[in-house]
């Protein structure tokens, strides 16, 4: 059993729709200037703080280096 905590459940907010075009994009090509100030790009096995912030955009990157989903937490 892994000691890693599971990511919080996906939050659906209107804010996510604005960035839907990023799903499937290569994470290395995401322009951070286009993201909100507190947005995070989270790669596999990357440590992140677990403090909850409903308005923080998180781009979840898969093992192939592509954005696989978005969550606000």
């Amino acid at each position: 059993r892994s000691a890693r905590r599971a990511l919080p459940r996906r939050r659906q907010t209107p804010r996510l729709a604005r960035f839907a075009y990023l799903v499937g994009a290569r994470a290395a090509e995401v322009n951070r200037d286009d993201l909100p100030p507190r947005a995070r790009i989270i790669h596999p096995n990357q440590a992140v703080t677990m403090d909850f912030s409903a308005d923080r955009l998180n781009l979840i990157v898969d093992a192939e280096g592509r954005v696989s989903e978005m969550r606000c937490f």
Side-chain angles (χ1 to χ4, degrees):
R1 190 146 109 152
S2 174
R4 267 184 18 197
R5 292 176 61 186
L7 292 174
R9 292 180 59 102
R10 180 182 309 188
R11 300 235 176 235
Q12 297 296 339
T13 66
R15 177 182 203 161
L16 287 180
R18 194 171 129 208
F19 299 101
Y21 70 95
L22 293 172
V23 175
R26 297 200 52 75
E29 296 172 359
V30 172
N31 184 348
R32 286 186 171 270
D33 293 336
D34 294 339
L35 301 177
R38 296 183 58 221
R40 302 187 289 192
I41 299 175
I42 303 173
H43 294 268
N45 300 313
Q46 179 179 337
V48 295
T49 61
M50 293 307 291
D51 58 314
F52 179 77
S53 179
D55 64 342
R56 179 173 49 215
L57 175 66
N58 296 277
L59 301 178
I60 312 301
V61 178
D62 64 20
E64 285 78 42
R66 295 194 176 275
V67 177
S68 60
E69 63 182 296
M70 302 176 299
R71 298 182 191 175
C72 288
F73 63 87

